[in-house]
Amino acid sequence: PCKMMDRNTFSTDQVGEYFNQNFINVKLDVEKGDGIPFSRDYNITAMPTLLFINAQGNVVHRALGYRGPKQLLAEAQKANKPINNKDKYALAYDSGSNNPDILFHHAMNTAKIKGDYREPAQRYFETQTEKNLLKDSRNWEAIQTLTTDIESREFQLLLDKQKKFGKVYGDQSVKDKIYAVLKTNVLQAALTRRAEQYKLAVTTAQDKV
């Protein structure tokens, strides 16, 4: 695919003109010389990988695999357009950022559009101490929106520290969240006939609520 792009894509006048006007263009062999640390820093796992990087060294757009001239120009135009905060968080997350602000906002934005937010949520919660989970109001927002797993550290902390959470955020709000998680797990387990999940949810409700 890399050689095909050299032959069919990069050599076309339209691609060359657009890229030369809008970007500083660099080609690296990720198995040799400077390409080796570069591939490690930017998490390159397949070839060709096309990265559009800003002056701060952050990836603003990434594309994997062969692109013909029209396809490559479309990717370049995506990278070149102004982006909103939601897109910035997603791009920074895709670039491997472990910044808690980026992880929080990306997880919450993904949840709002009913996407799979589990991985960014887990990565965000891993950046937070138990003290922060209890006392930071942003973390209560995150727990309410992103926590659905009974066995997660966040939900177990909520169960064990119900009174402390209640004092900060209101007893009823805490009870409602615990009830919602247990109810969701019971229903999911019943519908999918997952006996272990069902037993865990029911037992947790009996022991902790």
Side-chain angles (χ1 to χ4, degrees):
C2 296
K3 292 179 180 178
M4 286 176 62
M5 287 193 72
D6 279 343
R7 185 169 62 250
N8 302 331
T9 303
F10 298 133
S11 60
T12 63
D13 292 340
Q14 190 178 11
V15 169
E17 183 178 347
Y18 186 86
F19 272 72
N20 288 332
Q21 286 179 354
N22 291 279
F23 306 105
I24 297 171
N25 304 295
V26 178
K27 177 182 175 183
L28 287 172
D29 184 337
V30 296
E31 296 177 337
K32 296 179 181 177
D34 292 338
I36 295 174
F38 181 89
S39 68
R40 182 179 61 247
D41 293 343
Y42 286 95
N43 192 30
I44 295 173
T45 58
M47 281 80 77
T49 293
L50 308 167
L51 301 181
F52 296 85
I53 302 171
N54 65 17
Q56 289 72 45
N58 299 317
V59 176
V60 299
H61 187 62
R62 176 188 293 252
L64 273 178
Y66 177 83
R67 296 290 192 281
K70 289 184 179 179
Q71 295 170 314
L72 183 60
L73 285 170
E75 298 290 355
Q77 287 159 3
K78 286 180 188 176
N80 228 11
K81 70 177 184 179
I83 57 176
N84 59 34
N85 284 334
K86 180 180 173 183
D87 291 329
K88 287 179 181 178
Y89 292 127
L91 289 168
Y93 176 80
D94 288 341
S95 299
S97 174
N98 283 316
N99 182 297
D101 288 337
I102 288 169
L103 296 174
F104 171 81
H105 286 293
H106 179 59
M108 296 294 283
N109 288 336
T110 305
K112 286 177 184 176
I113 61 172
K114 301 189 183 302
D116 188 352
Y117 56 82
R118 289 172 295 180
E119 183 180 341
Q122 181 181 351
R123 283 175 54 186
Y124 170 71
F125 284 129
E126 287 173 354
T127 69
Q128 302 300 298
T129 64
E130 287 192 3
K131 183 178 179 181
N132 284 340
L133 287 172
L134 177 61
K135 295 190 175 182
D136 187 335
S137 60
R138 183 171 79 170
N139 283 329
W140 177 238
E141 182 184 358
I143 289 171
Q144 286 186 300
T145 304
L146 306 173
T147 298
T148 58
D149 180 3
I150 291 178
E151 297 181 276
S152 68
R153 178 184 65 141
E154 297 72 48
F155 188 71
Q156 290 298 316
L157 183 67
L158 186 61
L159 287 175
D160 293 338
K161 308 287 186 183
Q162 288 182 55
K163 290 185 179 179
K164 288 187 176 181
F165 274 96
K167 286 182 180 179
V168 181
Y169 305 110
D171 288 333
Q172 193 59 50
S173 181
V174 171
K175 289 177 181 178
D176 287 347
K177 176 58 186 177
I178 292 172
Y179 174 79
V181 171
L182 294 173
K183 179 182 177 181
T184 297
N185 278 264
V186 168
L187 292 174
Q188 285 179 345
L191 288 170
T192 57
R193 298 183 182 277
R194 294 171 61 186
E196 290 186 8
Q197 182 187 5
Y198 183 86
K199 183 178 179 181
L200 175 62
V202 172
T203 302
T204 302
Q206 292 171 336
D207 292 345
K208 298 288 187 178
V209 179

